[in-house]
Amino acid sequence: MVAMSARPNQESAAPQAETTSPHRAGFACFVGRPNAGKSTLTNALVGQKVAITSNRPQTTRHTVRGIVHREDAQLILVDTPGLHKPRTLLGERLNDVVRTTWAEVDVIGFCLPADQKLGPGDKYIVKELAGIKKTPKIAIITKTDLVESKALAEQLLAVSALADELGFEWAEIVPVSAVKDQQVSLLADLIAPLLPVSPPLYPEGDLTDEPEMVMVAELIREAALEGVRDELPHSIAVVVEEMLPRENRPADKPLLDIHANVYIERPSQKGIIIGPKGQRLKDVGTKSRKHIEALLGTPVFLDLHVKVAKDWQRDPKQLRKLGF
């Protein structure tokens, strides 16, 4: 079933008695290959940045929960890392996170970019989804603003045919553009009825349950990912060591001191992150500080240091230290 925003003419319909639908609340996760638009879609649905975005694969390393509050439902969106063929212990752990999440949610949304043909990676994920019998699955064609209608129609048919081939049916197939805010609210309308009847699970106003220190670290990593060479993004990790209000500040001029370390795997990568005369690291601090201040609602002093954690993606002890 392909969901589009057109609605039938309601005037000809017979008047019906109004019924109050029960409130629903539950968890929906977005899965797909790396860089399929999952984080951008999560942010668009929540209406605020709760997941970092980048055109680099494997940007998401945690399951970030974004919370959408509606009168009829509360959608808790779980944005998983992209499922991929792992080459490191980190990659294996990220895949484990994805599969654990699938087993615990009420709805699964499979994200497929409109501008990329269905590939082996997509088929691998959908084959795994076919084995999850009871959970409703929605196919979400993302980045529709990047293609013409003919290419979009071909993608819709391809994803429908793949489900037929594997012996299951999508609950819905929805084309969306998170960047252009096209059909994003329709997607929420379609997810809500699939959730269990429940009172809200989070207080009104909560947009995520990620700890602030994790969110801050992610915003720094997002800034650090910009413009780096292909092999470096996977090597970057950020740990916030300390977040403390500056002492002896006037009540109307608070300042939050944040001390964070940017970790890379080899000494040769240090110069790439720091840049000539430290300019690149300074730019990372400037960009991330703006987002951090918007997130926390307070002025921030950000102290960044670059450190080497040798081959941390393959070292269980280092992975634990860095929060994986």
Side-chain angles (χ1 to χ4, degrees):
M1 178 179 178
V2 178
M4 300 296 285
S5 58
R7 291 279 191 268
N9 187 342
Q10 299 294 324
E11 291 179 9
S12 59
Q16 296 179 344
E18 284 190 22
T19 58
T20 304
S21 299
H23 187 277
R24 295 176 180 272
F27 295 82
C29 78
F30 296 142
V31 301
R33 279 184 291 121
N35 202 25
K38 302 181 293 294
S39 297
T40 305
L41 183 57
T42 297
N43 291 337
L45 281 159
V46 174
Q48 187 169 315
K49 190 183 191 77
V50 293
I52 74 168
T53 58
S54 168
N55 60 4
R56 301 287 178 181
Q58 287 188 49
T59 301
T60 301
R61 288 180 179 164
H62 302 269
T63 50
V64 177
R65 289 190 176 91
I67 303 163
V68 181
H69 301 272
R70 298 161 48 108
E71 283 189 18
D72 62 331
Q74 187 180 77
L75 285 59
I76 299 109
L77 306 174
V78 186
D79 174 30
T80 60
L83 197 70
H84 61 290
K85 188 174 182 179
R87 295 177 302 180
T88 63
L89 184 58
L90 172 65
E92 290 174 14
R93 290 197 178 172
L94 294 182
N95 278 355
D96 289 343
V97 165
V98 177
R99 291 191 179 94
T100 302
T101 303
W102 290 359
E104 295 174 347
V105 297
D106 303 297
V107 181
I108 298 172
F110 167 64
C111 293
L112 174 69
D115 63 333
Q116 297 173 28
K117 295 285 186 188
L118 258 170
D122 300 304
K123 292 174 182 176
Y124 170 69
I125 293 168
V126 176
K127 191 173 180 180
E128 292 220 3
L129 292 181
I132 304 169
K133 301 299 183 186
K134 293 184 179 178
T135 309
K137 293 167 278 289
I138 295 177
I140 305 164
I141 311 301
T142 60
K143 309 184 184 184
T144 57
D145 53 297
L146 300 180
V147 299
E148 301 293 333
S149 56
K150 182 175 182 290
L152 176 57
E154 289 172 356
Q155 195 76 311
L156 293 167
L157 289 170
V159 76
S160 178
L162 183 57
D164 291 342
E165 184 185 317
L166 293 169
F168 76 97
E169 188 177 346
W170 299 109
E172 304 280 357
I173 302 176
V174 196
V176 303
S177 169
V179 171
K180 299 285 186 181
D181 195 24
Q182 293 169 348
Q183 305 229 124
V184 172
S185 60
L186 173 65
L187 176 60
D189 290 344
L190 295 171
I191 292 173
L194 299 174
L195 301 176
V197 173
S198 167
L201 303 174
Y202 287 88
E204 182 73 35
D206 282 11
L207 298 180
T208 181
D209 69 352
E210 273 284 46
E212 285 184 345
M213 287 178 80
V214 173
M215 294 278 286
V216 168
E218 288 289 271
L219 290 171
I220 295 167
R221 189 164 66 89
E222 179 182 46
L225 283 169
E226 286 188 23
V228 298
R229 294 207 304 259
D230 287 343
E231 74 276 10
L232 191 53
H234 311 299
S235 300
I236 297 174
V238 178
V239 174
V240 174
E241 300 291 343
E242 203 172 51
M243 286 173 50
L244 292 171
R246 179 79 60 89
E247 292 182 1
N248 303 319
R249 295 281 295 187
D252 59 340
K253 289 185 179 179
L255 185 65
L256 186 67
D257 286 319
I258 298 177
H259 301 277
N261 293 326
V262 179
Y263 288 95
I264 35 80
E265 291 192 293
R266 297 187 297 278
S268 60
Q269 296 170 335
K270 210 167 181 178
I272 301 171
I273 294 292
I274 295 173
K277 297 182 179 178
Q279 188 57 47
R280 195 168 181 290
L281 187 62
K282 186 178 178 183
D283 290 343
V284 168
T286 302
K287 286 176 184 175
S288 58
R289 192 180 72 246
K290 288 177 184 175
H291 289 301
I292 293 166
E293 289 179 340
L295 171 74
L296 301 179
T298 185
V300 162
F301 172 79
L302 183 58
D303 178 39
L304 291 181
H305 295 272
V306 179
K307 296 191 173 185
V308 178
K310 186 171 169 50
D311 294 329
W312 66 263
Q313 292 186 76
R314 294 170 174 82
D315 182 343
K317 189 185 286 186
Q318 298 272 27
L319 282 169
R320 281 196 298 273
K321 179 183 173 185
L322 298 177
F324 299 105

